[in-house]
Amino acid sequence: LIAAAGLPVSPPASLTPEIFLNNMAVDKKARDGQVFLVLLKQLGEAVVTRDYSADALNATLNDCCRSSIQPA
């Protein structure tokens, strides 16, 4: 649906996990450099939290950035 609307479904190849983390650290939800995430518990129920695994976040960002690399 998103792609059909012509909207991006992956980040630009120039965005790295480090760039994402740096930007997330200055997001309006960040406090004192601590990254807070908005996570969906179920449809219609989101929670803002800093209770997450840094390893899981890094793995997710790495997977996301890797999927944006298009083969030549």
Side-chain angles (χ1 to χ4, degrees):
L1 183 61
I2 295 170
L7 299 170
V9 293
S10 62
S14 62
L15 287 180
T16 64
E18 293 78 21
I19 292 172
F20 269 107
L21 286 172
N22 288 339
N23 288 332
M24 291 168 74
V26 296
D27 181 80
K28 65 184 176 189
K29 291 176 294 303
R31 290 183 181 78
D32 298 322
Q34 174 68 46
V35 174
F36 285 70
L37 300 179
V38 178
L39 302 175
L40 192 60
K41 290 181 112 177
Q42 63 183 6
L43 286 178
E45 186 181 346
V47 61
V48 178
T49 184
R50 63 178 180 187
D51 184 22
Y52 58 87
S53 162
D55 290 338
L57 176 58
N58 288 328
T60 301
L61 291 175
N62 280 314
D63 288 346
C64 178
C65 290
R66 189 173 26 254
S67 71
S68 70
I69 300 172
Q70 303 297 322

